[in-house]
């Protein structure tokens, strides 16, 4: 909620005082739709990555995403905006403007998904904690992600301990990190980029 309030305040100030001073582009409409979609998708993606919204219909999109997490935010945004644009085309009797708007939101959705999901890339987390059983259970129950417990030995202490290894989609690692931090504030967490993650729960494309 706090992040959404900040985003709405920034957008309001930018719209009234920054963008109002920028000359209006009156060139090719298709270029305006394409580049407008890129800018819009980038802005939305940055806000979503920080688990905020820009207010308005974005809140609806996030609520829908909670109910159908198998759909990407870009596709949900495209579907919801398409309904609104279709109604606007009827209300304002302007088919051309609506078609350009559809181009813009399509590009915006693709950019949004690229920013949030990053194709086939993922994240791998190594979590060192004495509360490894509780953290593992929450990851399995709340997010249905596989967890592997590795056996490790501290070089300084000589003590044996379990290390949680978990591979997740790029848009999920923040939630897993939060689980670990809330369960054990003293947990030691290593997060690394995975260039590609294949197997159950991820992409099934394999190089034969």
């Amino acid at each position: 909620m706090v992040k959404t309030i900040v985003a709405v305040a920034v957008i309001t100030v930018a719209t009234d005082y920054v963008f109002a001073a920028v000359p209006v582009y009156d060139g090719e409409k298709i270029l305006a739709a394409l580049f407008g979609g890129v800018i819009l998708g980038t802005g939305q993606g940055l806000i979503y990555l920080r688990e905020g919204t820009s207010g308005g219909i974005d809140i609806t999109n996030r609520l829908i995403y909670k109910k159908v997490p198998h759909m990407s935010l870009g596709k949900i945004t495209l579907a919801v905006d398409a309904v609104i644009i279709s109604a606007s085309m009827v209300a304002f009797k302007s088919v051309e403007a609506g078609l350009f708007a559809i181009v813009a939101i399509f590009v915006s959705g693709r950019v949004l998904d690229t920013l949030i999901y990053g194709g086939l890339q993922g994240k791998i987390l190594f979590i060192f904690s004495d509360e490894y059983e509780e953290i593992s259970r929450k990851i399995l129950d709340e997010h249905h992600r596989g967890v592997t417990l590795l056996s490790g030995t501290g070089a300084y202490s000589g003590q044996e301990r379990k290390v949680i290894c978990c591979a997740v989609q790029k848009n999920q690692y923040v939630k897993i990190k939060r689980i670990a931090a809330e369960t054990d504030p003293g947990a030691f967490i290593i997060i690394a980029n995975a260039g590609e993650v294949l197997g159950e729960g991820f992409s099934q494309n394999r190089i034969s």
Side-chain angles (χ1 to χ4, degrees):
M1 182 183 68
V2 173
K3 293 175 181 178
T4 295
I5 291 173
V6 172
V8 170
V10 172
I11 291 171
T12 301
V13 172
T15 301
D16 288 347
Y17 300 102
V18 179
F19 300 145
V22 176
V24 176
Y25 176 77
D26 57 0
E28 291 290 335
K29 293 181 180 179
I30 189 65
L31 289 178
L34 291 173
F35 283 95
V38 171
I39 294 171
L40 178 61
T42 302
Q44 285 183 311
L46 292 175
I47 292 173
Y48 282 148
L49 281 172
R50 298 300 180 269
E51 297 190 337
T53 72
S54 60
I57 204 65
D58 278 5
I59 297 176
T60 302
N61 296 338
R62 289 298 295 267
L63 292 175
I64 294 174
Y65 180 69
K66 279 191 171 186
K67 297 295 183 181
V68 285
H70 58 278
M71 286 186 66
S72 70
L73 276 169
K75 291 179 180 177
I76 293 173
T77 301
L78 176 61
V80 173
D81 285 349
V83 173
I84 297 172
I85 291 171
S86 299
S88 300
M89 290 168 65
V90 175
F92 295 102
K93 297 182 175 62
S94 177
V95 176
E96 184 184 38
L99 294 176
F100 281 120
I102 290 174
V103 171
I105 63 171
F106 175 79
V107 173
S108 171
R110 296 302 297 270
V111 172
L112 175 61
D113 281 347
T114 300
L115 278 175
I116 294 179
Y117 304 106
L120 300 177
Q121 295 182 350
K123 294 281 188 179
I124 184 166
L125 294 89
F126 295 97
I127 304 171
F128 302 76
S129 170
D130 293 331
E131 303 294 331
Y132 65 90
E133 292 182 334
E134 179 69 11
I135 295 172
S136 299
R137 185 188 61 77
K138 288 183 177 180
I139 294 174
L140 290 167
D141 293 345
E142 296 178 17
H143 297 287
H144 309 291
R145 300 301 339 178
V147 174
T148 300
L149 295 178
L150 309 177
S151 297
T153 304
Y156 178 76
S157 64
Q159 295 181 344
E160 299 230 351
R161 62 188 311 172
K162 296 295 184 180
V163 180
I164 299 172
C165 176
C166 182
V168 297
Q169 302 284 1
K170 289 184 70 175
N171 65 314
Q172 294 179 316
Y173 87 94
V174 175
K175 298 175 182 178
I176 305 300
K177 181 176 67 174
R178 182 178 295 129
I179 286 176
E182 290 177 351
T183 305
D184 180 8
F188 188 80
I189 307 171
I190 299 175
I191 303 172
N193 290 320
E196 189 172 6
V197 182
L198 303 174
E200 186 176 353
F202 296 91
S203 172
Q204 298 299 319
N205 296 324
R206 297 178 182 274
I207 299 175
S208 56

